[in-house]
Amino acid sequence: MLLLSRPDEIIEERIQTKAFQEYSPAHMDTVSVVAALNSDLCVSGGKDKVACIPKSSQFFSASRDRMVMMWDLHGSSQPRQQLCGHAMVVTGLAVSPDSSQLCTGSRDNTLLLWDVVTGQSVERASVSRNVVTHLCWVPREPYILQTSEDKTLRLWDSRGLQVAHMFPAKQHIQTYCEVSVDGHKCISCSNGFGGEGCEATLWDLRQTRNRICEYKGHFQTVASCVFLPRALALMPLIATSSHDCKVKIWNQDTGACLFTLSLDGSGPLTSLAVGDAISLLCASFNRGIHLLRMDHSQGLELQEVAAF
């Protein structure tokens, strides 16, 4: 796991000439996850999962040793807390909007709810065959969204850690999920091959909880999906990254693909994170972390400006 600072001065200069700066790789192996602490700092993991505490210097990591660690940038080099409770690898982490609770999920079919202050587990829930792939917390709500290898998307109520809703099962494993800033919508994405599966799906999180739109065009597993900030765009946008080495930008409302960026030689793309209003961070198998910038000067474009 690495904490990385973005070399802004160099990048801003390179953007003007549409050049590209490649730095020494931060990781020596596959980067499986990247998360933004703020507009200048990101956390990346090789085989780890990472979740950041909003507006804080603290974050959590989880790995194949079944442990969850809490870290503080302003503290020592040792973790502040070590949380142990899962029987298999931890594959999902989500921090509550008020930063008081952490939800973890594992390949052991179990979700655990933790008190962040005490480091104690306060709730446990288990569903047969529910191999967790990702977790995220709904803003301003007591709900947690979860994707699974059983092809379903579940909404959990943290008050007692009970399943509040199960969305209709998809045809393929659901690999990742994200909730919009207003908490009204969510997206999940699917594994697949040769264009079968390989899509992202937009869902209504309000009363109807119906499927709203699908985004099809990748040819391999879609590993990550994010809602993009509305700062410069005239329409709501979604971004996806895939094992086919491509990042795609979609019109959220129509499902139209507006731009495709091919990161040739990167290998499968594993994770996306919003850096700021115009920046994305993308993790890859072969080339570490890519810094991408959106440009609206001549229509929507996505440019790779650095890799590290």
Side-chain angles (χ1 to χ4, degrees):
M1 181 180 64
L2 292 176
L3 178 70
L4 302 168
S5 178
R6 198 173 59 184
D8 281 319
E9 292 182 3
I10 296 176
I11 290 169
E12 293 293 345
E13 179 183 347
R14 299 289 179 177
I15 286 174
Q16 294 174 7
T17 60
K18 294 190 177 182
F20 165 77
Q21 181 70 36
E22 188 158 16
Y23 299 90
S24 297
H27 290 265
M28 300 307 294
D29 202 351
T30 296
V31 183
S32 64
V33 64
V34 62
L37 270 174
N38 53 49
S39 60
D40 297 315
L41 291 172
C42 69
V43 183
S44 59
K47 294 180 172 63
D48 307 301
K49 284 282 187 175
V50 174
C52 300
I53 296 180
K55 300 178 181 178
S56 167
S57 63
Q58 299 173 343
F59 59 95
F60 293 92
S61 68
S63 68
R64 295 178 181 272
D65 64 3
R66 301 170 291 176
M67 299 287 291
V68 177
M69 307 287 191
M70 181 180 180
W71 307 85
D72 193 328
L73 293 184
H74 304 316
S76 70
S77 59
Q78 299 301 312
R80 286 189 57 184
Q81 291 180 349
Q82 298 185 42
L83 312 179
C84 182
H86 286 289
M88 297 180 71
V89 57
V90 179
T91 49
L93 294 170
V95 182
S96 65
D98 64 3
S99 305
S100 67
Q101 294 181 307
L102 173 74
C103 186
T104 61
S106 168
R107 293 192 65 83
D108 63 9
N109 306 324
T110 298
L111 268 67
L112 292 175
L113 195 65
W114 307 83
D115 184 304
V116 168
V117 174
T118 66
Q120 298 299 308
S121 173
V122 294
E123 297 284 356
R124 174 185 290 266
S126 183
V127 175
S128 177
R129 301 178 67 183
N130 181 32
V131 177
V132 176
T133 55
H134 191 70
L135 293 169
C136 61
W137 213 294
V138 179
R140 298 176 296 280
E141 297 285 351
Y143 296 110
I144 303 153
L145 197 67
Q146 179 238 317
T147 48
S148 172
E149 286 191 7
D150 69 3
K151 307 176 185 178
T152 62
L153 182 68
R154 290 178 174 85
L155 189 66
W156 293 82
D157 191 331
S158 64
R159 299 164 297 188
L161 208 54
Q162 301 288 327
V163 176
H165 183 73
M166 279 185 63
F167 293 84
K170 298 282 290 176
Q171 295 295 313
H172 296 78
I173 290 171
Q174 298 299 283
T175 58
Y176 192 89
C177 56
E178 171 113 338
V179 180
S180 60
V181 173
D182 60 15
H184 294 168
K185 298 180 177 69
C186 66
I187 42 177
S188 66
C189 48
S190 301
N191 80 338
F193 186 77
E196 291 293 327
C198 313
E199 80 266 3
T201 305
L202 182 70
W203 307 88
D204 188 355
L205 270 181
R206 292 168 292 183
Q207 290 184 351
T208 61
R209 292 179 175 164
N210 293 329
R211 185 176 66 185
I212 301 173
C213 190
E214 285 198 325
Y215 310 94
K216 296 184 176 182
H218 285 292
F219 287 92
Q220 295 185 42
T221 292
V222 180
S224 190
C225 48
V226 294
F227 291 93
L228 297 182
R230 290 293 300 270
L232 296 177
L234 299 177
M235 65 195 78
L237 301 175
I238 284 171
T240 56
S241 66
S242 168
H243 288 187
D244 63 11
C245 307
K246 293 179 173 58
V247 177
K248 289 181 178 287
I249 305 294
W250 309 83
N251 182 316
Q252 176 185 300
D253 296 332
T254 68
C257 182
L258 304 177
F259 192 82
T260 299
L261 175 66
S262 295
L263 296 173
D264 297 329
S266 64
L269 304 180
T270 54
S271 178
L272 273 180
V274 174
D276 57 29
I278 59 170
S279 299
L280 282 173
L281 295 159
C282 181
S284 69
F285 261 52
N286 298 338
R287 289 182 50 224
I289 300 165
H290 309 260
L291 179 61
L292 314 176
R293 285 282 175 89
M294 286 186 289
D295 183 1
H296 294 265
S297 59
Q298 298 179 345
L300 177 64
E301 289 186 0
L302 190 64
Q303 303 168 358
E304 182 183 15
V305 294
F308 47 92

